[in-house]
Amino acid sequence: VTVYLVGAGPGDPGLITVRGLDLLRRAEVVVYDRLVAEELVAEAPEGALLVARDRHDQPEVNRLLVEHGLAGKEVVRLKGGDPFVFGRGGEEALALAEAGVPFEVVHGVSAIGSVPGAAGIPVTHRGVSQQVTIATGQACDGASPEFAALANAPGTLVFFMGLARVGRLADGLLAAGRSADTLAAVISKGTTHEQRVVTAPLSELASAVERAGLEAPALVVVGDVVALRERLGLD
Ligand SMILES: C[S@@+](CC[C@H](N)C(=O)[O-])C[C@H]1O[C@@H](n2cnc3c(N)ncnc32)[C@H](O)[C@@H]1O
């Protein structure tokens, strides 16, 4: 294997896997996402080629991975959270597979499996929520989420990439039948020392988020599980 698609975890540098850190420490080329903790990028060996992903568009990133992979370099593509959860890891894996470059996916701790919990919100809880639906607040084709289906889904809703559209998300769910007093939370920079959390009923969520001036990355969690945060003493 020459190219490793490694999940770096949600922000806390301690949440990379042992295998991911081991590969990072012996990489020759590291292509890293903007959301990856700088402490992790600093773990690359001296002399490794470090490439910031946000200076390149996706086809260029794919090409870089293929080129360095074909050259036989040990390449770590360090990605926020898990590579296969809203991370375009599948697209990069396809580009490598099509070019005949051997690769391995080293999964990581996704925001879905860590950020609500870091805010004291279990996404499932017996008797409260038996189902979790995750969606993007920003589809790549600009389409709105499927509000009718989402509003009627039982259990917990989690939106990735929803901060900039939190008002539209709340309005869409309300218009599709969710009650105005449904509890919601927005968790900014979850798992890091800059983590901030705002909770509010759906009808007041956008104004509460604006008042607080929350910054990306943030996760939006909707449902009765949000009340557990207070009961767990983390409010
Ligand atoms: C492009 S997606 C990448 C998701 C990543 N692959 C994962 O598994 O978590 C970026 C979105 O993930 C969410 N996210 C990632 N890290 C986060 C964090 N530390 N706190 C809150 N949300 C986070 C935000 O919704 C952000 O807009």
Side-chain angles (χ1 to χ4, degrees):
V1 174
T2 56
V3 180
Y4 298 89
L5 305 179
V6 176
D12 175 346
L15 290 177
I16 192 170
T17 61
V18 173
R19 177 159 175 70
L21 185 57
D22 184 45
L23 290 164
L24 176 59
R25 284 180 172 156
R26 51 193 171 85
E28 296 173 278
V29 179
V30 178
V31 183
Y32 62 95
D33 279 353
R34 190 174 42 85
L35 287 182
V36 167
E38 57 190 33
E39 294 91 328
L40 286 179
V41 179
E43 291 285 346
E46 235 183 277
L49 175 65
L50 300 180
V51 182
R53 187 268 181 252
D54 57 4
R55 305 229 178 96
H56 303 271
D57 62 17
Q58 190 63 53
E60 278 169 7
V61 171
N62 296 355
R63 193 176 43 72
L64 273 172
L65 298 179
V66 167
E67 276 177 16
H68 288 294
L70 286 175
K73 301 275 190 214
E74 292 279 309
V75 182
V76 164
R77 171 69 178 105
L78 196 56
K79 302 177 69 69
D82 181 89
F84 276 12
V85 180
F86 292 128
R88 301 193 187 178
E91 292 172 39
E92 292 171 9
L94 278 173
L96 291 163
E98 281 161 14
V101 178
F103 70 93
E104 181 186 327
V105 182
V106 180
H107 290 283
V109 176
S110 173
I112 184 65
S114 55
V115 168
I121 302 169
V123 287
T124 65
H125 191 79
R126 199 149 57 95
V128 179
S129 168
Q130 318 294 339
Q131 182 174 317
V132 185
T133 305
I134 70 170
T136 170
Q138 181 195 17
C140 53
D141 57 1
S144 287
E146 299 280 337
F147 286 119
L150 291 168
N152 289 306
T156 308
L157 294 177
V158 180
F159 291 98
F160 282 65
M161 295 160 283
L163 182 65
R165 288 155 202 80
V166 69
R168 264 182 277 166
L169 291 181
D171 289 349
L173 293 173
L174 292 169
R178 271 290 172 112
S179 98
D181 58 4
T182 303
L183 261 187
V186 179
I187 306 146
S188 158
K189 302 184 180 179
T191 78
T192 74
H193 56 269
E194 294 179 274
Q195 172 173 303
R196 293 179 64 206
V197 185
V198 165
T199 59
L202 212 42
S203 55
E204 295 163 28
L205 189 64
S207 51
V209 165
E210 200 182 330
R211 267 198 310 280
L214 292 189
E215 290 177 13
L219 217 56
V220 181
V221 182
V222 180
D224 294 340
V225 287
V226 173
L228 288 160
R229 170 173 159 77
E230 194 178 351
R231 283 174 58 199
L232 287 170
L234 290 163
D235 205 355

